[in-house]
Structure formats: structure tokens, C-alpha cells
């Protein structure tokens, strides 16, 4: 276990001010009073683990991350429980995925226990910032950047900084849950075989903004990514995985695209694949093409579609638009199976429902 040097902020925000900020936190706008940093140097490994006041990082303009984007991140939430304690949802799964991303980006692995220890320290120091309002949570953002100075490109950085910051947040898509409209991107590709699609690296997002802008220009909320070779097979929606509901009521079953290496292996996706069978909803991982999506909606076989991820949990997809036209799913409203899965998952996360898979981990 690595030893953390703990230095708390000299002055904490008065409770009244904090409560005013927590009344309307937005998403990823407001940050708590502390952060965790751990450094890694070639030959020495991980060292200088610190909990310190939140604040700017001073970096040389020639630092590698600015030029070659050797960076990756994680995202998970801390939830206030009915008894006041604070938990997270499958943090060891995030720690494991972080290391898989590290391997791909030629960055050093961080021991899973250290990853979770960093979350515990930060949440404990800033526990008053964990929202108590329904649907709100503390979004945790661990990330790692290449901090070696110099612009050589023959080797990965010899120095890194791991950092965790925390952001009290309201629901990701504000207001009542309303289905999103999506634009099928055929001009741009998120990920190709052999690339970084399965790694949670910032570069994937940097390359995605232009397609998201195009989606908005087309009158849609979000972009849906198709496979790189044929622009035919459905992969993901923005930063979320996709599910399709076939049938309805007791006959409902779930289909989601398989993890081919170009999709980000979402922990929400994995959790739904395990949770749905508990509710009597069979699941399968199958490739689905744009034509099949459209035809199965037209025939009535495909009744609902939704996207899932930590930030927005489960978001129904109501309208699908592409170069060759558009179609509406389930009358543009959230379907019953989508609503049921959402309620079940959120219930586990906020401690209102039993946790049969032991996904909840106490942080503070
Ligand atoms: C983070 C992310 C997801 C969702 O992963 P969760 O672990 O469920 O939050 C899906 N797609 C992309 C591209 C992502 O970056």
C-alpha cells in the first residue's frame, strides 16, 4: 500500500455557501476542495502520493501530454445512501479498465487497491460535497497524463501524473428523462480495428467533437457511431453504449453490440447484461446493422432502444436520423423495459434496492 501525504485546505467553504452551490450543481462544473495526485517516474515507479487542496497544475509547455495526447481517464460516481454513508458502484471494475487503457497507451499500470484508496481518501476529505438530493451524485474523475518534458516521439513518456478530482453533479441530461434523437454518422469514424476504441483516452473524444457538432446541425442530440469499414454496424452513441429491446412485457429481450475492440466496454453495459436476466429479461450480444434497426422498428419487432453509461445512467433513444432518412422508436417515448432497467439499476446505486451482485463498495 502506498502512503499518502495528506494536506487539507486551510480554509473550508462555509456550509451555507456549499449548500447554495449544491442546490444547482450542473454536470461537471463544480469541483470539491481537494484532489489526489500520485507521480510515476521510470526506474522509480509510483511515488509522492498526495491528498492536497484542489488547484491548478503547473506544467512546462513542452510537456508530452500537450503535444501527443498521451492521456486517459475514468469516470464513476459516489452515491449518498439512506443511512448517510457514501458508496461507489463497482470501483474495482473502473480500476481494472483503467489498467487496460494504460496498457494500450503505453502508460504504467496503477495497482487497483491504490486506485480505490485514492477515491476513498478524496471522498472522505470532501464527504460534505456528496449531494443528498435525489438523482444527484459526486462524479469522480481519475485521469493520468504524460508529464515528461520534451518533444521526442520515439518513446512513451518517462514520467506520469495520476490525478483524481471530484464534481458534485445533478443528472447528466437535465430535467425529466426524455428520449434523445441521434444522428448516424457516416462521414466520421470513432474507432477502427487496432485503434484505441476500447481505451478510455481523451483522444477518442477530441476526434469525436466534430461529429457531435454535425449531429446538432442535423437537429439531433447525439451522434451514433458506426463501424469504420462499412459504416453499417451500430457501435455506440457518443460516450455511451447502446441496447435494443425486442418484444415487450414478459417477452422483452435485450440485444447489444458485442465488444469487438472498437467499443468502449462500459461498466453500465456489463451490469445490465447481468441485471436483466435477474429480472427475467434474456440478453444477447449481437451485431446490428442500421438497416436491421430500421426494418425491425418498422415491423414492430424492435420496440425500444436506449443508451447507457455512468454519467447519464440509461437514456432512451426516440428518433434516429441518417443520410437516407429517419424513423421514430416507440412513439418517441421511453419504453417500459427501459424504465424498469433504469429504476432497478438506480435503486441499487442509491441503496434503495438489494445488491445481489455485491456491486456496491463503501467509500466513506
Ligand atoms: C465511458 C464510456 C462509456 C460508458 O462506460 P461506463 O463504464 O458505463 O460509464 C461508453 N462509451 C464510451 C465511448 C465511453 O467513453
Amino acid at each position: 500500500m502506498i502512503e499518502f501525504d495528506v494536506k487539507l485546505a486551510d480554509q473550508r467553504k462555509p456550509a451555507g455557501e456549499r449548500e447554495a452551490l449544491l442546490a444547482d450543481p450542473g454536470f461537471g462544473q463544480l469541483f470539491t476542495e481537494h484532489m489526489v495526485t500520485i507521480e510515476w517516474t521510470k526506474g522509480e515507479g509510483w511515488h509522492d502520493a498526495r491528498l492536497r487542496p484542489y488547484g491548478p497544475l503547473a506544467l512546462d509547455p513542452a510537456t508530452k501530454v500537450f503535444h501527443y495526447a498521451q492521456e486517459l481517464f475514468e469516470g464513476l460516481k459516489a452515491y449518498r445512501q439512506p443511512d448517510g454513508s457514501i458508496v461507489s458502484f463497482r470501483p474495482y471494475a473502473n480500476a481494472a479498465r483503467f489498467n487496460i487503457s494504460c496498457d494500450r497507451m503505453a502508460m504504467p499500470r496503477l495497482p487497483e487497491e491504490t486506485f480505490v484508496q485514492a477515491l476513498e481518501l478524496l471522498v472522505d476529505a470532501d464527504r460534505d460535497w456528496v449531494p443528498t438530493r435525489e438523482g444527484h451524485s459526486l462524479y469522480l474523475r481519475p485521469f493520468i497524463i504524460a508529464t515528461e518534458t520534451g518533444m521526442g516521439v520515439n518513446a512513451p513518456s518517462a514520467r506520469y501524473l495520476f490525478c483524481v478530482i471530484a464534481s458534485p453533479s445533478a443528472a447528466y441530461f437535465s430535467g425529466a428523462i426524455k428520449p434523445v434523437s441521434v444522428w448516424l454518422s457516416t462521414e466520421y469514424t470513432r474507432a477502427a480495428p487496432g485503434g484505441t476504441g476500447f481505451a478510455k483516452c481523451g483522444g477518442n473524444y477530441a476526434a469525436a467533437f466534430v461529429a457531435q457538432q454535425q449531429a446538432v446541425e442535423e437537429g439531433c442530440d447525439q451522434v451514433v457511431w458506426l463501424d469504420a469499414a462499412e459504416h453499417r454496424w451500430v457501435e455506440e452513441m457518443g460516450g455511451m453504449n447502446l441496447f435494443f429491446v425486442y418484444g415487450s412485457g414478459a417477452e422483452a429481450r435485450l440485444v447489444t453490440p458485442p465488444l469487438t475492440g472498437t467499443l468502449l466496454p462500459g461498466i453500465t453495459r456489463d451490469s445490465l447484461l447481468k441485471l436483466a436476466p435477474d429480472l427475467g429479461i434474456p440478453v444477447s450480444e449481437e451485431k446490428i446493422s442500421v438497416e436491421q434497426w430500421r426494418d425491425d422498428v418498422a415491423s414492430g419487432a424492435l420496440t425500444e432502444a436506449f443508451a447507457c453509461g455512468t454519467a447519464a445512467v440509461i437514456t432512451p433513444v426516440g428518433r434516429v436520423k441518417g443520410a437516407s432518412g429517419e424513423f421514430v422508436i416507440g412513439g418517441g417515448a421511453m419504453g417500459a423495459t427501459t424504465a424498469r432497467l433504469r429504476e432497478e439499476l438506480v435503486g441499487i446505486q442509491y441503496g434503495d434496492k438489494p445488491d445481489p451482485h455485491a456491486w456496491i463498495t463503501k467509500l466513506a
Side-chain angles (χ1 to χ4, degrees), residues 97 190 200 205 236 238-241 264 266-268 308-310:
R97 185 173 68 188
R190 190 188 87 93
K200 215 167 169 70
Y205 280 77
E236 297 196 62
M240 301 174 80
N241 295 113
L264 198 289
I267 292 160
T268 316
C308 69
T310 297

Side-chain angles (χ1 to χ4, degrees), residues 29-349:
Q29 306 284 328
L30 174 67
F31 295 92
T32 65
E33 292 170 281
H34 297 90
M35 63 189 201
V36 164
T37 55
I38 316 179
E39 291 177 55
W40 187 92
T41 310
K42 198 173 174 178
E44 195 181 344
W46 292 104
H47 60 92
D48 282 287
R50 297 165 68 190
L51 176 79
R52 52 163 144 165
Y54 184 94
L57 302 170
L59 294 169
D60 189 288
T63 303
K64 274 209 161 92
V65 64
F66 296 140
H67 304 274
Y68 307 126
Q70 204 189 356
E71 184 272 357
L72 60 91
F73 65 95
E74 268 301 328
L76 68 168
K77 286 175 172 174
Y79 306 90
R80 182 77 69 175
Q81 301 293 283
D83 69 359
S85 65
I86 300 156
V87 307
S88 191
F89 184 75
R90 306 184 69 187
Y92 285 93
N94 290 89
R97 185 173 68 188
F98 181 82
N99 283 332
I100 290 169
S101 297
C102 283
D103 291 346
R104 178 62 183 84
M105 302 300 284
M107 297 170 108
R109 286 181 158 235
L110 181 73
E112 288 182 15
E113 309 73 57
T114 307
F115 182 98
V116 176
Q117 201 188 346
L119 304 178
E120 286 169 353
L121 256 179
L122 182 57
V123 168
D124 189 41
D126 287 334
R127 59 182 308 142
D128 292 343
W129 289 93
V130 181
T132 50
R133 283 180 174 75
E134 196 185 331
H136 292 205
S137 59
L138 183 69
Y139 185 77
L140 300 167
R141 169 53 61 85
F143 62 101
I144 178 172
I145 58 174
T147 51
E148 187 183 344
T149 305
M151 293 196 262
V153 286
N154 291 328
S157 175
R159 305 179 69 90
Y160 296 93
L161 179 75
F162 171 76
C163 186
V164 190
I165 55 176
S167 175
S169 293
Y172 186 76
F173 296 116
S174 55
I177 301 153
K178 69 173 203 312
V180 295
S181 54
V182 298
W183 167 251
L184 302 169
S185 181
T186 40
E187 187 175 347
Y188 300 108
T189 298
R190 190 188 87 93
T196 57
F198 67 89
K200 215 167 169 70
C201 62
N204 289 341
Y205 280 77
F209 289 127
V210 68
Q212 174 61 27
Q213 276 181 332
Q214 192 174 55
V216 171
E217 278 160 22
E218 293 290 346
C220 297
D221 300 307
Q222 293 283 322
V223 59
V224 159
W225 299 106
L226 307 174
D227 74 293
E230 297 179 74
H231 287 306
R232 178 170 174 224
W233 304 101
V234 179
E235 297 208 323
E236 297 196 62
M237 180 189 95
M240 301 174 80
N241 295 113
L242 281 168
F243 275 87
F244 304 92
V245 181
Y246 278 84
S248 59
E251 302 300 315
R253 64 182 182 90
L254 284 184
V255 173
T256 193
L259 299 177
T260 50
T262 52
L263 277 72
L264 198 289
I267 292 160
T268 316
R269 174 190 182 278
D270 184 71
S271 304
L272 290 173
L273 287 175
K274 294 180 168 110
L275 188 63
D278 295 351
L279 306 178
I281 305 169
V283 296
S284 60
E285 296 175 77
E286 291 167 38
K287 283 172 76 166
I288 171 163
S289 67
V290 171
E291 307 91 85
Q292 193 188 341
W293 189 359
R294 187 191 55 219
D295 293 351
D296 289 350
V297 167
S299 76
L302 195 164
T303 55
E304 304 173 31
F306 64 85
C308 69
T310 297
V313 198
I314 287 180
T315 301
V317 176
R319 187 167 64 90
V320 183
K321 184 179 177 190
S324 60
E326 60 180 275
F327 57 94
V328 170
I329 309 168
M334 172 152 70
T337 301
T338 303
R340 183 161 175 235
L341 288 165
R342 188 186 159 90
E343 192 181 307
E344 199 65 30
L345 186 61
V346 170
I348 295 172
Q349 292 169 335

